[in-house]
Amino acid sequence: MNISFDDSVIKIDVDKEIYSLTVLHKCFYWYTGKYSLDICALDSTYLITISDVTTAEEKDALIQKIRKDLIDFKTREIISIETKNIRDLLIAKAFAHEDTFEEDPPPGISDPLGFDPTSIK
Amino acid sequence: MDTKEVKNTRKFKDYEFFRSPDSQYFLLPFRFHRINAQKEVLVNEVGDFLIVPAGTASRIVNREISEKEEIYHDLHANFFISTEAVPPLIDVLATRYRTKKSFLDEFTALHIFVVTLRCNHSCHYCQVSRVSENKKDFDISLENLMAGIHHMFRSPAKSITMEFQGGEPLLAFDEVKFAVETATELNKVYKKQITFVICTNSTIFTDEILDFCKQYDILISTSLDGPEFLHNANRPKTGIPSYELVIAGINKARSVLGHEKVSALMTTTSMSLDFPTEIIDAYIENGFSNIFLRPISPYGFALKNPKKNKYETDRYLDFYRKGLNYILELNNKGHFFVEDYTTILLRKILTPFPVNYVDLQSPAGLINSVIVYNYDGFVYATDESRMIAENLDFTFRLGHVKDDYKNIFYGEKAKFLSQYWSNECLAGCADCGFQNYCGADPVFHYSAQGDFEGHRPTSDFCKKNMEIISNLFELIDQNGSEFLPIFYSWINNKPRF
């Protein structure tokens, strides 16, 4: 991860192999209340630009927080992917007896063998 | 070769025999949240939690937790990890998940009838455009009232609450009387458990009104904003000041109905923020054993007076924390006194049961738990929705009370709102460690941010709940032996001593 700071703008280069776009979106969503953000896909990295960082102290604290948050959101992504099936199964089991799906009977009379039963007299 | 190792006998095997050789385990769904630099809280799919050192979630995911560690067994016993891909007790977990969402089985249980907009107070934070006492055009018609009652009985809920609001509902006492008598008569057929509640300022109780309340076992929910100077400043009225009348009304109601039948709610205005302990003391002096430190609702007419009614969430949180600390001190000294909002959250955190509090549910309480029949015959998704409508914004109007039940409760508007009522699907909430304890509130976010989904990083709803829940976990972590007995006494509503 390469980080640069110039003229109240932090630029972070993140390896695509390490962090997915989903992780970046979920992580940096929480920064959109205070900062102006841009995420741009390059060849092998994503470039994140964070504007309106006013002081060097703010920058240091922000970078430290971003490092932690990226790891946390990556961890959340792993949990989410690994547990998707079991979560689906859990919820399906929880509400299984609530399945009140009712299929309407097919309209009219039909026959799978292909003749028209209404023509029989 | 050691022959002992290969000899297969039917003797009981020791623990090591069954242990998987390399501490492999499977993850079960859980979320986490850092509560401070040292600790994070892990919360599983049914709301059970573990407070652990920061970085533990990452260690779990990276399979760095060894069976020799105590935490391995905590994680296993509490459904955070499993030694099998599908845990053998998944049906237990599924039942617990279903229990947490069992408020959905009942569907709409709270039916609010706004019987009039007339009021004898002129509170600056009132969200509705109250009208003077003599304008009877603002009372609900008996025809609309009747139609609302029929909708109420269509609800699948076995226990329903019929709540009367205003304005001041007792200015339309004839309508309240008609509604209670009609519902009681019809209930001979429907056989539901009905709780009647009148939300009143308690200033116009007559013997006739209180005798009626006693006859039908009606609960009184009143407004008390704190000590006299604060209450009167928040809730001005012409003639005799409000506080004097309210206290007299509360005492009169208690003497007829019983002490426990009268409850009170306060609203935190800008002025209230400086007086958390004085407000709590006023509740104690007036014989209450609980208080709801309730922030102002950013709806309707309340927004027309921003100096008195609008404040930063940080200021409210400071007020709440001071109030909570004071209440905890009182409890530590042996005085049983409960903060209601904290108790709602604690019930979600510390028990396997759901809480029927419409602002903290997912799916949200609107329609699923509450419906409002307004004085003019229109039906709204929540109490706050009709407050928004007072500014001529009818976004949350579901239809007219004379419309078909299905069109109101399952109609296009209800379907539209359902896109935004589950925090499991909202940006920022979907991965939040506190998702189980919080809720979705599309009405709040529409009102505050102009967006049904809401923008969590700038949401006062999110900030308030994150801070309060995080603070509770810190209290449990730092001094659980002191605070947990108090918290359980609140949940069970039983004094410890």
Side-chain angles (χ1 to χ4, degrees), chain B residues 103-110 155 356 358 361-371 381 409-410 418 421-422:
Chain B
F103 62 90
L104 291 171
D105 295 347
E106 293 284 286
F107 199 46
T108 321
L110 173 58
S155 168
N356 283 329
V358 296
Q361 283 179 200
S362 178
L366 59 111
I367 309 170
N368 293 305
S369 295
V370 63
I371 202 86
F409 289 78
Y410 300 101
S418 70
W421 72 24
S422 294

Side-chain angles (χ1 to χ4, degrees), chain A residues 26 32 72 82 93 97, chain B residues 34 63 91 98 431 455:
Chain A
K26 288 189 171 186
T32 57
D72 282 356
E82 279 193 36
K93 275 179 167 284
H97 73 283
Chain B
R34 289 178 190 259
R63 305 302 197 274
D91 287 338
R98 185 182 167 73
D431 295 294
H455 180 242

Side-chain angles (χ1 to χ4, degrees), chain A residues 3-116:
Chain A
I3 300 169
S4 63
F5 177 61
D6 187 32
D7 197 21
S8 78
V9 174
I10 296 177
K11 288 189 174 177
I12 306 172
D13 248 329
V14 178
D15 193 330
K16 281 183 176 176
E17 294 286 314
I18 300 173
Y19 294 109
S20 70
L21 194 56
T22 306
V23 166
L24 297 183
H25 275 149
K26 288 189 171 186
C27 176
F28 287 104
Y29 170 74
W30 287 100
Y31 293 81
T32 57
K34 197 170 173 193
Y35 302 102
S36 175
L37 273 117
D38 187 40
I39 299 176
C40 184
L42 305 177
D43 285 345
S44 60
T45 61
Y46 292 111
L47 175 66
I48 298 112
T49 310
I50 306 172
S51 310
D52 311 326
V53 183
T54 49
T55 64
E57 291 78 34
E58 186 186 1
K59 176 210 63 168
D60 292 342
L62 196 59
I63 290 171
Q64 201 182 358
K65 184 166 173 6
I66 288 169
R67 283 184 192 279
K68 268 188 192 170
D69 282 354
L70 277 172
I71 291 170
D72 282 356
F73 277 95
K74 173 81 180 175
T75 304
R76 290 184 179 110
E77 183 186 51
I78 296 169
I79 297 167
S80 175
I81 291 169
E82 279 193 36
T83 62
K84 183 184 181 306
N85 290 342
I86 195 79
R87 179 183 281 120
D88 289 347
L89 180 62
L90 179 69
I91 294 168
K93 275 179 167 284
F95 297 108
H97 73 283
E98 286 294 313
D99 187 359
T100 53
F101 178 71
E102 285 173 21
E103 199 172 357
D104 289 333
I109 305 169
S110 66
D111 188 281
L113 291 178
F115 62 90
D116 179 6

Side-chain angles (χ1 to χ4, degrees), chain B residues 33-212:
Chain B
H33 183 90
R34 289 178 190 259
I35 50 173
N36 54 43
Q38 291 77 39
K39 293 289 179 73
E40 64 193 22
V41 60
L42 313 177
V43 183
N44 72 9
E45 201 63 13
V46 295
D48 295 340
F49 71 90
L50 288 174
I51 300 172
V52 292
T56 301
S58 185
R59 289 186 64 223
I60 295 169
V61 165
N62 293 325
R63 305 302 197 274
E64 291 171 12
I65 306 287
S66 152
E67 278 183 60
K68 289 171 187 157
E69 294 178 65
E70 197 179 326
I71 193 171
Y72 176 94
H73 304 283
D74 287 338
L75 293 168
H76 188 250
N78 288 289
F79 293 107
F80 288 90
I81 59 171
S82 168
T83 49
E84 294 176 44
V86 177
L89 293 178
I90 190 166
D91 287 338
V92 173
L93 200 58
T95 304
R96 295 215 33 220
Y97 187 91
R98 185 182 167 73
T99 304
K100 278 280 180 189
K101 299 287 184 187
S102 60
F103 62 90
L104 291 171
D105 295 347
E106 293 284 286
F107 199 46
T108 321
L110 173 58
H111 296 258
I112 296 175
F113 291 80
V114 180
V115 289
T116 182
L117 269 198
R118 291 186 290 142
C119 193
N120 59 347
H121 278 60
S122 49
C123 312
H124 55 72
Y125 56 66
C126 184
Q127 289 93 351
V128 293
S129 56
R130 67 269 166 184
V131 292
S132 59
E133 295 174 51
N134 50 6
K135 291 192 175 175
K136 283 214 79 167
D137 295 344
F138 292 88
D139 291 359
I140 196 168
S141 71
L142 295 188
E143 206 181 351
N144 286 338
L145 199 47
M146 198 69 207
I149 292 169
H150 281 300
H151 284 314
M152 180 176 80
F153 280 113
R154 289 285 303 273
S155 168
K158 292 183 193 81
S159 299
I160 52 177
T161 299
M162 188 178 195
E163 185 173 296
F164 300 99
Q165 287 202 13
E168 168 48 52
L170 291 179
L171 288 174
F173 179 60
D174 287 344
E175 284 78 357
V176 173
K177 206 172 161 187
F178 171 82
V180 171
E181 286 171 346
T182 306
T184 304
E185 190 59 30
L186 287 172
N187 200 38
K188 288 176 183 167
V189 177
Y190 291 102
K191 299 189 187 313
K192 291 180 186 287
Q193 171 75 42
I194 308 180
T195 304
F196 297 109
V197 181
I198 299 177
C199 300
T200 170
N201 58 37
S202 298
T203 59
I204 53 169
F205 285 138
T206 60
D207 292 341
E208 184 202 358
I209 289 173
L210 288 175
D211 287 345
F212 181 79

Side-chain angles (χ1 to χ4, degrees), chain B residues 265-283:
Chain B
L265 271 177
M266 58 85 57
T267 300
T268 310
T269 60
S270 299
M271 190 179 177
S272 315
L273 292 170
D274 295 326
F275 304 104
T277 55
E278 289 83 352
I279 293 168
I280 293 160
D281 285 340
Y283 266 67

